[in-house]
């Protein structure tokens, strides 16, 4: 594992933990051979900027729908270098901005969006199987636990809220039923939905890239796009001209000319343990292999991997000044220690377990925390993203929606259920300039952590006022 990580810039820290090297997923499955970069000016019918899930799924569905299209994907490093190869492997039905869309477009419009997300989980699993992509998928659902009275109150409200969006197959558990699924210390309740699965992100993105290439899509890696303008994607090696230029860059959007304040690159960090013993798994349970989250304000997310580890994540240093991104996933020592504390807090039996790998990555956050899909019909410029950490499934729905809006615009198709979803062509204002952006995000997450500590100490069933203040300042909800 360490040799693969070292090849991508990883290093060994205390206790033999590999730090960086893109992510554990690539260290485990191996880094891909980098495809040839662009060699000069070129043309296409559609050029897609970004070789992550959004870009690859968009290329896949467009090429399937219209095999005659000349589609080119441009990727600055290699496919999956960004969030698509570093995430927690949560394929689930969450979508950023649903409640705001309900307020803007009506409850039924948001229900349609939620139903589409529910179906998307199965769509990803279906296509992976059809294309022979072995991504360690296990559909065990999503279990979100509460560990304090305030978290339990939020959990029950959350559960009822989800039922209101038509998720009638969601279940609410008390402490005993939760422990029967997974023995989380101090858990007092949980909510479970079947619309979720764990997977290996790197295996999915590598398999998807291969499937897209097999369809006849051209992928150029090691080709950074420096500027996007109507009908042009500009790189140091040449310009690709196309009637449609689709930006699928998520957390790396700020690096493009004129896009620094479009989406904020929010940092998220993860650790992966060494493989656990049978005795340790017996102490924990988790035989259903659900993805695991909690109801803290500064929440965590985790999965039981195919090879018997726990991969767990949360916010470390949430935002780098000037919207800079990380260096191959290297993570601050204090962040690794904080994540380890969460791990042991949830599972005290793992106090002596070794952390085998730590890494970080960025996700895209719009100013109103709403994921969007957009096509400007006057310029041919389109984009999708702003998933706020829920992108593993949302990218697929976004890509199918981009396919439909491009086909509608080009006269190859008409209105569809997807083009009528409320996130299509949603407009979002830009983030504040620095240093306001940096100060705001740092303060927001510091406030969330303080709110979590207070709720733990007071045992009050009321959520901390600090968290509500942070939500209002952030513009969430």
């Amino acid at each position: 594992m360490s040799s693969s990580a070292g090849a991508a810039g990883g290093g060994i820290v205390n206790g033999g933990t590999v730090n960086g090297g893109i992510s554990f997923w690539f260290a485990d499955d191996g880094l891909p051979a980098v495809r040839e970069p662009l060699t000069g000016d070129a043309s296409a019918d559609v050029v897609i900027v970004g070789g992550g899930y959004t870009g690859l799924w968009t290329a896949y569905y467009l090429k399937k729908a219209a095999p005659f299209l000349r589609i080119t994907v441009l990727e600055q490093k290699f496919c999956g270098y960004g969030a698509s190869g570093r995430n927690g492997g949560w394929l689930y039905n969450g979508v950023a901005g649903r409640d705001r869309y309900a307020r803007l477009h009506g409850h039924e419009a948001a229900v349609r969006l939620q139903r589409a997300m529910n179906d998307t989980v199965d769509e990803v699993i279906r296509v992976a199987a059809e294309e022979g992509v072995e991504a360690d998928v296990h559909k065990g659902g999503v279990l979100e636990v509460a560990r304090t009275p305030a978290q339990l109150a939020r959990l029950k409200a959350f559960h009822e809220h989800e039922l209101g969006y038509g998720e009638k197959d969601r279940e609410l558990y008390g402490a005993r039923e939760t422990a029967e699924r997974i023995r989380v210390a101090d858990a007092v309740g949980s909510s479970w939905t079947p619309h979720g699965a764990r997977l290996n992100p790197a295996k999915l993105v590598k398999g998807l890239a291969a499937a897209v290439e097999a369809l006849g899509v051209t992928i150029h890696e090691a080709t950074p796009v420096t500027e996007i303008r109507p009908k042009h994607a500009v790189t140091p090696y040449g310009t690709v001209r196309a009637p449609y230029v689709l930006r699928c860059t998520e957390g790396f959007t700020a690096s493009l000319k004129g896009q620094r304040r479009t989406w904020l690159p929010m940092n998220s960090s993860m650790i992966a343990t060494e493989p656990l013993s049978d005795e340790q798994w017996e102490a924990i349970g988790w035989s259903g292999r659900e993805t695991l989250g909690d109801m803290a304000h500064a929440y965590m997310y985790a999965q039981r991997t195919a090879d018997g580890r726990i991969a767990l994540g949360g916010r470390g240093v949430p935002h780098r000044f000037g919207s800079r991104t990380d260096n191959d996933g290297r993570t601050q020592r204090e962040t690794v220690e904080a994540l380890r504390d969460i791990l042991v807090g949830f599972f005290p039996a793992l106090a002596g377990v070794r952390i085998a790998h730590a890494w970080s990555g960025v996700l895209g956050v719009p100013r109103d925390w709403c994921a969007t899909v957009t096509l400007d019909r006057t310029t041919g410029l389109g984009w999708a993203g702003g998933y706020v950490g829920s992108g593993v499934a949302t990218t697929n729905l976004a890509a199918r929606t981009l396919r439909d809006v491009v086909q509608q615009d080009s006269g190859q198709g008409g209105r569809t259920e997807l083009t009528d979803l409320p996130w299509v062509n949603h407009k979002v204002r830009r983030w504040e300039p620095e240093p306001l952006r940096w100060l705001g995000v740092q303060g927001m997450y510091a406030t969330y952590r303080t709110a979590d500590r207070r709720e733990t100490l007071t045992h009050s069933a009321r959520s901390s006022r600090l968290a509500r203040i942070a939500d209002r300042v952030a513009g969430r909800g």
Side-chain angles (χ1 to χ4, degrees):
M1 180 173 66
S2 59
S3 61
S4 296
I12 306 296
V13 297
N14 59 309
T17 300
V18 178
N19 190 339
I22 315 302
S23 72
F24 160 73
W25 311 115
F26 279 116
D28 181 54
D29 195 51
L31 292 174
V34 177
R35 295 172 175 85
E36 290 294 319
L38 184 70
T39 57
D41 291 344
S43 64
D45 298 312
V46 180
V47 58
I48 295 169
V49 181
Y53 290 148
T54 305
L56 293 173
W57 280 124
T58 301
Y60 178 85
Y61 285 110
L62 272 172
K63 193 68 171 175
K64 281 282 197 177
F68 56 85
L69 287 177
R70 296 174 303 138
I71 302 173
T72 296
V73 176
L74 303 176
E75 164 56 42
Q76 68 165 336
K77 297 278 190 175
F78 58 82
C79 290
Y81 175 80
S84 298
R86 308 191 198 191
N87 61 79
W90 272 44
L91 176 70
Y92 87 118
N93 66 339
V95 57
R98 184 195 61 190
D99 289 352
R100 187 180 295 271
Y101 288 131
R103 293 195 295 272
L104 292 172
H105 301 279
H107 183 74
E108 182 53 37
V111 170
R112 287 190 287 109
L113 179 60
Q114 185 60 65
R115 286 176 181 155
M117 279 304 310
N118 296 349
D119 294 341
T120 295
V121 173
D122 291 327
E123 169 69 4
V124 173
I125 295 171
R126 181 193 69 79
V127 174
E130 184 177 283
E131 296 294 341
V133 177
E134 177 47 65
D136 298 336
V137 177
H138 181 86
K139 192 181 179 185
V142 183
L143 187 73
E144 291 169 283
V145 301
R147 302 176 66 216
T148 68
Q151 287 185 22
L152 182 60
R154 286 197 297 275
L155 177 84
K156 291 178 178 178
F158 164 75
H159 180 84
E160 291 301 317
H161 198 57
E162 298 307 295
L163 294 180
Y165 283 100
E167 204 174 333
K168 303 305 182 185
D169 44 6
R170 176 174 286 274
E171 298 176 4
L172 183 67
Y173 303 136
R176 180 182 58 79
E177 294 167 303
T178 300
E180 289 172 355
R181 281 184 171 265
I182 181 170
R183 287 182 279 281
V184 172
D186 303 321
V188 291
S190 62
S191 180
W192 177 82
T193 175
H195 302 294
R198 74 99 204 271
L199 54 75
N200 180 310
K203 288 183 178 181
L204 177 61
V205 74
K206 289 198 291 187
L208 181 57
V212 164
E213 210 165 33
L215 290 173
V217 172
T218 299
I219 301 176
H220 291 297
E221 296 180 323
T223 305
V225 173
T226 56
E227 183 182 1
I228 294 173
R229 57 177 186 261
K231 298 179 173 55
H232 296 76
V234 182
T235 85
Y237 308 114
T239 297
V240 181
R241 293 171 174 81
Y244 296 100
V245 182
L246 306 181
R247 189 186 79 223
C248 302
T249 48
E250 186 59 356
F252 289 85
T253 301
S255 63
L256 291 166
K257 182 177 179 181
Q259 303 294 333
R260 185 169 294 276
R261 292 167 53 196
T262 299
W263 290 333
L264 183 139
M266 184 78 77
N267 197 58
S268 197
S269 300
M270 293 198 69
I271 57 173
T273 69
E274 62 186 343
L276 303 187
S277 67
D278 291 342
E279 292 76 17
Q280 287 169 319
W281 283 120
E282 180 64 28
I284 293 170
W286 211 345
S287 60
R289 291 167 174 77
E290 307 90 341
T291 55
L292 175 67
D294 74 349
M295 298 305 294
H297 300 294
Y299 51 85
M300 58 76 73
Y301 51 95
Q303 68 150 283
R304 176 175 175 170
T305 69
D307 64 346
R309 306 168 190 265
I310 293 177
L312 179 147
R315 294 288 180 265
V317 177
H319 174 62
R320 290 176 170 83
F321 190 88
S323 291
R324 291 179 290 112
T325 54
D326 64 82
N327 178 25
D328 287 349
R330 291 188 66 84
T331 302
Q332 291 185 330
R333 183 178 302 234
E334 52 266 37
T335 297
V336 179
E337 293 171 351
L339 292 174
R340 182 190 177 86
D341 287 344
I342 294 173
L343 174 73
V344 175
F346 270 61
F347 307 114
L350 301 185
V353 76
R354 183 175 69 88
I355 303 303
H357 206 119
W359 71 98
S360 296
V362 292
L363 50 98
V365 180
R367 189 61 183 88
D368 66 355
W369 302 72
C370 289
T372 56
V373 177
T374 298
L375 179 67
D376 185 336
R377 303 187 70 172
T378 63
T379 63
L381 297 178
W383 56 89
Y387 307 121
V388 196
S390 298
V392 180
T394 314
T395 50
N396 179 278
L397 179 60
R400 286 184 284 128
T401 307
L402 269 179
R403 171 202 60 194
D404 285 5
V405 296
V406 167
Q407 289 204 289
Q408 181 183 24
D409 183 72
S410 63
Q412 297 169 13
R415 285 177 56 179
T416 69
E417 291 182 1
L418 299 186
T419 62
D420 287 341
L421 289 176
W423 67 344
V424 175
N425 294 330
H426 175 72
K427 291 180 173 57
V428 185
R429 70 182 176 93
R430 291 157 67 83
W431 281 89
E432 291 78 3
E434 299 289 22
L436 296 177
R437 186 164 68 243
W438 184 86
L439 289 170
V441 176
Q442 299 296 326
M444 177 181 67
Y445 275 98
T447 302
Y448 285 144
R449 292 187 182 101
T450 300
D452 285 329
R453 287 194 295 270
R454 287 192 178 183
E455 289 176 3
T456 300
L457 291 172
T458 62
H459 300 289
S460 171
R462 296 186 62 184
S463 292
S464 171
R465 291 180 61 249
L466 289 173
R468 294 197 295 273
I469 293 170
D471 282 343
R472 286 197 295 271
V473 171
R476 302 178 75 171

